[in-house]
Amino acid sequence: MNPQLFISSNLGHQHFFSFDLESVVRLEGVRNYTRFIPAKGQPIITCRSLGIYLEQLPQQFVRVHKSYVINCRYILGIDPRSHSILMTDGTSIPISRRKRTAILRLLGKSR
């Protein structure tokens, strides 16, 4: 069974969602909101910060920037010129300067 995460989207109305974490490409944080981006379907926005979810995510999720947590299973490649990660959904995710060496080392080992 794939790992699940139950989240609450409290933007106007309280809704609870169950996510198959294998289907989540990335999480994007903006202030105290987190957007879950699935491989298929619509993004879900929650009124909690990224840090709240980090403790609940399996090891394949890595924080690469203060605003981004990615699922390593959806990495297409790394662009060394722009210091970003190319995802299978076509997005380019920046790698923070402070984390760049550790992230590149980690991703190099996991590929």
Side-chain angles (χ1 to χ4, degrees):
M1 183 174 171
N2 291 338
Q4 299 282 313
L5 179 66
F6 292 92
I7 61 171
S8 169
S9 178
N10 197 8
L11 302 174
H13 302 293
Q14 184 132 358
H15 297 285
F16 290 94
F17 298 91
S18 171
F19 262 114
D20 170 10
L21 289 174
E22 296 293 322
S23 71
V24 175
V25 176
R26 67 183 178 281
L27 287 74
E28 298 176 350
V30 178
R31 295 187 186 149
N32 290 329
Y33 294 93
T34 299
R35 181 180 306 151
F36 285 76
I37 310 294
K40 296 178 184 171
Q42 295 295 314
I44 302 294
I45 299 173
T46 69
C47 55
R48 297 202 191 301
S49 67
L50 270 177
I52 299 293
Y53 297 109
L54 274 176
E55 299 169 1
Q56 302 172 48
L57 296 171
Q59 249 183 333
Q60 78 228 35
F61 286 88
V62 176
R63 190 169 200 165
V64 296
H65 187 276
K66 74 175 186 174
S67 299
Y68 296 98
V69 173
I70 62 166
N71 184 339
C72 291
R73 294 183 179 162
Y74 289 92
I75 294 175
L76 189 61
I78 298 172
D79 183 348
R81 286 180 283 149
S82 66
H83 302 291
S84 60
I85 297 170
L86 307 173
M87 304 298 289
T88 57
D89 66 353
T91 57
S92 179
I93 307 296
I95 303 171
S96 72
R97 275 182 294 217
R98 287 189 319 174
K99 297 182 180 197
R100 191 169 295 149
T101 302
I103 295 296
L104 292 174
R105 189 177 309 128
L106 173 72
L107 295 178
K109 288 180 183 176
S110 68
R111 299 192 70 63

